[in-house]
Amino acid sequence: MNYSKIKRWRRIYELRRWMDRRFGWIVRAFRWIGHKLRWLNPRRYIKTLDWYIIKKFLTTYFFAIALIISISIVFDVNENLSKFTEYHAPLKAIVFDYYLNFIPYFSNLFSPLFVFIAVIFFTSKMAGNSEIISILAAGISFKRMMRPYMISAALISLLTFYLGSYVIPKGTVIKQNFETLYKNKKRNNAAENVQLQVGKGVIAYIQHYDNNIKRGYGFSLDKFENKKLVNHMTASEIQYDTISNSKFHWKVSSWRIRDLRGLKEKITSGSSKDTLILMEPTDLVFSKGQQETFTSPQLREYINRQIDRGSTNVVQYEVEYHKRIASSFASFILTTIGVSLSSRKRKGGMGLYLGIGLALSFGYIMLQTVSATFAINAGTPAMLAAWIPNIIFAVVAWFCYRQAPR
């Protein structure tokens, strides 16, 4: 008999008993917590049928995106190849600065269309193969069958919101800079006679501002208290500090300050001075599509700052902010409509329902554009304009859901 092996196993057994006496309460605590929170386990809700539908949904969705975007890139290259050649655009810039940002922008823009096409396509195929009939005949309700569709729609909505709010705006800046250099799409980089409120009772004025060099000419800053001018500052030039770690840093040249206190007046002047003024270059120059270059936190901050200054030129920014939130819910609405239309087995295939789906998707995108135009030009509240397509199509989704097979 091998006594050394017996002693080794005995030591291991005693060590396990000692650890159980000292630390067993930790293991029991985790077991108790796991038992109480077992409802958080995704396996409790996602069964084999759910995984089957989720895989079909997401695979078809991303395949449709890849197919359409590939065709779009081919047409875009054919259209812009002469300009790329004329302006000597490097291949690296074309691929990484332009098309790498072209893909997520248009994928996110037409995401509702891809969701609808994906749902109509694979659900009609399932209905044609009598899979939907088998699922309902097995005692699974139509409401329960909608669960994997809603899970997939939630994943797409989160992806859409994240891309639209944080990733695409940064890529849009790079894409616009590329177009300015190599596609001859000149951006507005100058402003004349700009006047804005930069603080409570503080009005700034710039006669001419050049955004290329971040420099303004003919600058003045007036401070009012109780509707009376108490401080007047003028400067021949004002330069934004682009290398500062914080915002709102400016450098004024040939400055002069008049401090008015009743009948007394104090005048100071100098050649150069660093100062803090609550404005940025983005507040001075407005270009088409500028709202698309802000992330959602930056957009919210910009809107609040402009409203505090009394500016009325914020409607398009508010529409963009609310549209990013509202668009993420389109996946749920269009998925419900798509499943309700295509889950019934009919003769003639899915051609009719694919056509209806495409029409509804294009109608949703067109309604988004029309409502945004009404908000900007007709004074419709921005939040209402952004949510009108969702409200209308939610009613359509409810009607289609009520007519779906049970």
Side-chain angles (χ1 to χ4, degrees):
M1 183 177 291
N2 193 342
Y3 290 101
S4 60
K5 185 178 292 187
I6 294 175
K7 289 180 180 180
R8 186 166 62 253
W9 283 108
R10 183 175 182 83
R11 285 196 297 269
I12 293 173
Y13 174 73
E14 292 175 350
L15 178 62
R16 290 184 61 182
R17 288 191 60 187
W18 177 82
M19 292 182 66
D20 187 61
R21 288 194 302 268
R22 295 292 299 272
F23 305 107
W25 63 274
I26 299 177
V27 177
R28 290 190 292 272
F30 275 106
R31 286 177 180 172
W32 181 83
I33 293 173
H35 179 73
K36 293 297 182 182
L37 299 180
R38 63 186 183 278
W39 56 274
L40 291 176
N41 188 357
R43 294 183 180 179
R44 184 182 176 91
Y45 307 99
I46 304 178
K47 306 299 182 182
T48 303
L49 174 64
D50 301 322
W51 284 118
Y52 177 72
I53 294 178
I54 289 172
K55 289 177 182 178
K56 277 184 171 291
F57 192 157
L58 297 181
T59 302
T60 309
Y61 171 76
F62 287 111
F63 177 78
I65 287 180
L67 182 63
I68 300 299
I69 293 300
S70 299
I71 297 173
S72 301
I73 290 175
V74 171
F75 279 101
D76 191 81
V77 169
N78 184 59
E79 180 182 354
N80 295 310
L81 186 60
S82 60
K83 292 184 179 180
F84 293 158
T85 306
E86 179 184 355
Y87 291 99
H88 305 288
L91 180 62
K92 182 179 179 181
I94 294 174
V95 174
F96 293 99
D97 293 347
Y98 184 72
Y99 284 110
L100 198 62
N101 296 301
F102 174 95
I103 292 172
Y105 176 82
F106 284 97
S107 298
N108 208 55
L109 180 64
F110 295 107
S111 180
L113 175 64
F114 296 142
V115 168
F116 215 118
I117 291 175
V119 172
I120 290 285
F121 182 81
F122 85 87
T123 306
S124 297
K125 191 172 182 180
M126 289 176 62
N129 294 334
S130 301
E131 294 179 58
I132 302 294
I133 296 175
S134 302
I135 292 172
L136 298 177
I140 297 175
S141 64
F142 186 79
K143 180 179 179 181
R144 169 63 183 85
M145 193 187 74
M146 287 289 294
R147 182 188 294 176
Y149 286 96
M150 292 297 103
I151 293 174
S152 302
L155 295 175
I156 294 173
S157 294
L158 291 174
L159 178 63
T160 301
F161 178 76
Y162 178 74
L163 288 175
S165 299
Y166 297 98
V167 177
I168 293 176
K170 297 178 181 178
T172 302
V173 176
I174 301 173
K175 182 171 172 285
Q176 288 183 354
N177 292 336
F178 176 90
E179 291 176 342
T180 302
L181 291 173
Y182 303 113
K183 290 185 66 177
N184 200 25
K185 289 190 175 182
K186 300 302 181 184
R187 297 163 60 186
N188 183 22
N189 287 314
E192 303 288 341
N193 299 320
V194 180
Q195 184 175 357
L196 71 157
Q197 181 175 324
V198 297
K200 188 176 181 180
V202 182
I203 306 297
Y205 171 80
I206 299 179
Q207 184 177 3
H208 174 77
Y209 177 77
D210 189 345
N211 196 46
N212 289 323
I213 57 176
K214 311 297 183 190
R215 181 178 295 175
Y217 305 91
F219 173 75
S220 67
L221 187 70
D222 296 327
K223 183 178 181 181
F224 294 87
E225 291 182 1
N226 298 323
K227 299 182 180 181
K228 292 183 179 181
L229 181 66
V230 297
N231 188 278
H232 177 69
M233 175 183 180
T234 59
S236 61
E237 294 183 3
I238 180 170
Q239 177 71 50
Y240 185 67
D241 189 354
T242 57
I243 62 174
S244 176
N245 293 328
S246 57
K247 299 187 293 184
F248 312 127
H249 281 265
W250 295 84
K251 183 178 181 180
V252 293
S253 302
S254 301
W255 59 273
R256 184 170 179 264
I257 298 177
R258 295 174 58 198
D259 196 8
L260 307 172
R261 297 297 176 183
L263 299 177
K264 296 182 180 181
E265 179 178 352
K266 181 182 178 182
I267 299 177
T268 56
S269 60
S271 60
S272 180
K273 179 181 180 179
D274 291 329
T275 184
L276 189 69
I277 305 173
L278 298 180
M279 65 179 184
E280 294 182 276
T282 53
D283 301 326
L284 305 174
V285 178
F286 299 96
S287 57
K288 184 179 180 181
Q290 183 178 358
Q291 67 273 15
E292 296 178 356
T293 63
F294 293 152
T295 63
S296 288
Q298 292 172 343
L299 201 57
R300 181 74 264 174
E301 180 185 355
Y302 180 85
I303 292 170
N304 292 334
R305 190 166 69 244
Q306 294 298 105
I307 291 175
D308 292 340
R309 292 171 175 170
S311 175
T312 58
N313 189 31
V314 295
V315 178
Q316 62 267 37
Y317 296 89
E318 291 179 322
V319 170
E320 177 68 19
Y321 179 80
H322 292 294
K323 188 174 73 173
R324 292 177 183 179
I325 301 174
S327 297
S328 61
F329 288 90
S331 299
F332 296 100
I333 297 172
L334 297 178
T335 297
T336 303
I337 297 174
V339 177
S340 302
L341 287 176
S342 58
S343 58
R344 191 184 298 274
K345 184 176 181 179
R346 293 181 174 89
K347 293 182 179 180
M350 65 176 182
L352 175 63
Y353 301 100
L354 184 59
I356 294 174
L358 290 173
L360 288 173
S361 299
F362 281 115
Y364 179 86
I365 295 172
M366 185 185 69
L367 190 58
Q368 275 188 326
T369 305
V370 171
S371 60
T373 303
F374 269 106
I376 295 172
N377 299 324
T380 307
M383 181 180 291
L384 179 61
W387 283 92
I388 280 177
N390 283 2
I391 295 172
I392 294 176
F393 277 82
V395 175
V396 176
W398 179 83
F399 176 78
C400 293
Y401 178 78
R402 297 291 296 178
Q403 302 299 318
R406 301 294 171 181

